[in-house]
């Protein structure tokens, strides 16, 4: 049971579930407000964080990605896609030998703090729905965060310096300027949703830093964990999008959930300094900028690039072949999927039909 004195007018029941959806959300059931927390989110964070730090090759990460793909495909009703993921999952079984997260206190802490961030984000939505003053205050913060740190009144020299620092080898300055203009237009178009999401992201950031104090964890791990939570949620969004044949055809560039997550991550990052001052951890924050850039590059190399450029194309190719061969009718192989992924050890005794 959760309550915040003076803000939350009603008590909130927290319901712990374990589903393939990996969603944490607020709902009302029989007149009661409930926060539904899916523990599978934490397991996904654990797998992705261990891959980030310890995966020695694509085959190792492919096993986790294949399972996630298979599960999301079955949620979308795509049995061939799920079978493709299950086949790769079983094929790569010998490669999954990463240490348990508890073997490294820093990794275990970062996974725990990622879960706290997700929980606190949804709890903030709950309070906003229940308390007008809190909602208005949060929305003012969300609006400030949407303005971003890089408004420079058209200072071309300052713009170019920022561009040269990070993107010089990736695109031309003109392309970069156009990307920024497009980004501003996207922000304006989705301002209401971004404002509320950023408001809850910033609230959750503070909760994570407070948790670091309570648990005696270095605040740097708090900043890294929030950064990783956003990156890992984005990775799960990639899988959810690409494992659904109807959505996958659109590609990630036009996927609204992915673009919103990218924007949220960028804008939330700009609030880290203020959060550090408010929580009295300025010293820990001073060196975090470079470390977060390195962490972002590491996540690209270890997680997103193997997923998007190796595993997903392989799975989609196998799916096409299976679909041509079997179609979408009753699928004896669904029992194979269920047994292999651990949903139902006795799956071979049952007859599954995909509707």
């Amino acid at each position: 049971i959760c309550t915040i004195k003076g803000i939350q007018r009603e008590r909130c029941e927290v319901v712990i579930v374990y589903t393939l959806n990996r969603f944490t959300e607020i709902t009302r059931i029989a007149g009661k407000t409930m926060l539904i927390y899916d523990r599978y989110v934490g397991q996904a964070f654990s797998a992705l964080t261990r891959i980030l730090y310890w995966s020695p090759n694509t085959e190792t990460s492919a096993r986790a990605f294949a399972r996630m793909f298979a599960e999301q495909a079955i949620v979308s009703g795509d049995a061939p896609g799920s079978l493709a993921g299950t086949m790769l999952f079983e094929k790569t079984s010998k490669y999954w030998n990463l240490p348990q997260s508890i073997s490294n206190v820093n990794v275990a802490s970062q996974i725990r703090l990622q879960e706290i961030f997700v929980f606190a984000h949804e709890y903030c939505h709950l309070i906003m729905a229940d308390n007008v003053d809190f909602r208005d205050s949060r929305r003012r913060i969300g609006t400030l965060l949407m303005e971003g740190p890089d408004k420079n009144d058209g200072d071309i020299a300052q713009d170019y310096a920022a561009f040269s620092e990070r993107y010089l080898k990736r695109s031309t300055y003109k392309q970069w300027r156009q990307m920024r203009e497009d980004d501003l237009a996207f922000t304006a178009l989705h301002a209401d949703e971004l404002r509320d999401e950023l408001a809850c992201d910033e609230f959750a950031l503070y909760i994570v830093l407070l948790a670091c104090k309570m648990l005696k964890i270095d605040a740097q791990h708090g900043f890294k964990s929030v950064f990783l939570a956003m990156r890992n949620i984005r990775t799960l969004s990639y899988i959810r999008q690409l494992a659904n044949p109807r959505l996958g055809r659109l590609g990630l560039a036009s996927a609204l959930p992915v673009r919103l997550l990218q924007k949220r991550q960028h804008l939330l990052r700009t609030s880290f300094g203020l959060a550090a001052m408010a929580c009295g951890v300025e010293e820990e924050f001073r060196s975090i900028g470079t470390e977060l850039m390195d962490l972002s590059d590491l996540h690209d190399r270890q997680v997103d690039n193997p997923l998007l450029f190796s595993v997903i194309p392989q799975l989609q190719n196998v799916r096409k072949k299976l679909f041509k061969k079997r179609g979408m009718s009753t699928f004896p192989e669904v029992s194979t999927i269920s047994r292999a992924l651990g949903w139902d050890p006795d799956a071979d005794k049952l007859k599954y039909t995909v509707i």
Side-chain angles (χ1 to χ4, degrees):
I1 302 294
C2 298
T3 183
I4 295 182
K5 186 176 181 181
I7 294 178
Q8 183 71 5
R9 288 200 298 267
E10 61 177 295
R11 294 165 72 82
C12 167
E13 290 194 24
V14 179
V15 181
I16 309 297
V17 299
Y18 188 89
T19 76
L20 300 182
N21 291 314
R22 298 187 181 91
F23 282 132
T24 297
E25 59 187 357
I26 303 299
T27 188
R28 291 187 71 85
I29 300 176
K32 287 186 177 181
T33 302
M34 296 185 179
L35 193 159
I36 309 297
Y37 182 74
D38 195 332
R39 284 303 308 274
Y40 214 174
V41 175
Q43 289 198 14
F45 284 166
S46 176
L48 293 174
T49 305
R50 290 157 65 200
I51 287 170
L52 175 76
Y53 289 119
W54 296 326
S55 178
N57 49 50
T58 302
E59 289 80 9
T60 299
S61 56
R63 180 166 170 81
F65 296 149
R67 182 188 184 107
M68 294 176 190
F69 185 94
E71 291 169 344
Q72 289 305 306
I74 209 69
V75 166
S76 68
D78 178 24
S82 188
L83 183 58
T86 301
M87 290 166 63
L88 182 60
F89 176 75
E90 293 195 312
K91 181 180 177 181
T92 55
S93 60
K94 65 180 180 180
Y95 295 101
W96 187 255
N97 55 2
L98 298 181
Q100 293 295 316
S101 59
I102 57 175
S103 66
N104 183 294
V105 65
N106 291 335
V107 173
S109 296
Q110 288 183 20
I111 293 169
R112 185 178 185 182
L113 292 171
Q114 287 178 64
E115 289 197 76
I116 291 174
F117 176 80
V118 170
F119 186 94
H121 174 99
E122 288 304 322
Y123 194 63
C124 182
H125 277 299
L126 175 66
I127 306 172
M128 286 177 67
D130 186 57
N131 187 285
V132 175
D133 292 338
F134 182 82
R135 179 170 64 246
D136 291 343
S137 173
R138 281 285 101 200
R139 284 179 170 174
R140 284 194 292 272
I141 291 173
T143 299
L144 287 172
L145 289 176
M146 277 200 304
E147 293 178 357
D150 41 60
K151 288 190 174 182
N152 51 38
D153 299 321
D155 188 331
I156 301 299
Q158 187 176 338
D159 257 2
Y160 191 76
F163 161 75
S164 301
E165 181 181 353
R166 181 94 171 138
Y167 299 101
L168 191 58
K169 296 181 180 180
R170 302 189 188 182
S171 60
T172 67
Y173 176 65
K174 185 176 180 181
Q175 289 172 328
W176 184 67
R177 289 277 296 185
Q178 183 60 53
M179 287 170 59
R180 290 189 64 192
E181 291 175 9
D182 293 344
D183 189 57
L184 289 172
F186 177 82
T187 301
L189 182 63
H190 300 283
D192 289 346
E193 182 174 358
L194 274 171
R195 178 198 59 205
D196 285 5
E197 292 300 318
L198 281 168
C200 293
D201 287 339
E202 199 257 2
F203 175 88
L205 168 62
Y206 276 92
I207 296 298
V208 167
L209 293 177
L210 290 174
C212 288
K213 282 189 173 183
M214 292 175 60
L215 300 171
K216 295 181 171 52
I217 298 172
D218 191 315
Q220 286 198 353
H221 288 302
F223 291 114
K224 290 179 181 178
S225 299
V226 170
F227 182 85
L228 283 179
M230 296 297 290
R231 284 298 302 256
N232 287 336
I233 291 169
R234 214 166 88 191
T235 298
L236 294 176
S237 183
Y238 293 156
I239 296 172
R240 189 174 291 115
Q241 179 85 11
L242 296 172
N244 187 323
R246 295 177 294 279
L247 299 177
R249 295 190 192 97
L250 302 175
L252 294 177
S254 59
L256 181 59
V258 172
R259 291 198 64 187
L260 287 172
L261 282 166
Q262 290 172 329
K263 188 62 180 174
R264 281 171 54 193
Q265 181 183 353
H266 171 70
L267 293 174
L268 180 63
R269 168 68 182 83
T270 66
S271 72
F272 279 13
L274 291 174
M277 287 190 288
C279 294
V281 291
E282 299 97 320
E283 188 65 33
E284 292 88 337
F285 175 73
R286 285 194 180 100
S287 63
I288 200 68
T290 301
E291 291 190 38
L292 290 181
M293 290 174 63
D294 292 341
L295 193 59
S296 179
D297 290 339
L298 181 65
H299 201 281
D300 285 341
R301 292 195 307 272
Q302 289 284 91
V303 180
D304 286 351
N305 289 349
L307 170 68
L308 297 176
F309 302 120
S310 177
V311 177
I312 291 294
Q314 179 180 349
L315 290 170
Q316 289 178 330
N317 185 49
V318 173
R319 182 204 171 276
K320 287 180 182 178
K321 294 178 180 178
L322 290 172
F323 185 77
K324 288 179 179 178
K325 183 177 180 181
R326 297 178 174 87
M328 292 289 287
S329 58
T330 302
F331 237 96
E333 289 87 348
V334 174
S335 61
T336 302
I337 297 169
S338 184
R339 184 189 68 255
L341 299 183
W343 302 339
D344 185 357
D346 296 322
D348 287 337
K349 301 176 184 178
L350 305 173
K351 291 184 179 179
Y352 286 85
T353 301
V354 176
I355 300 175

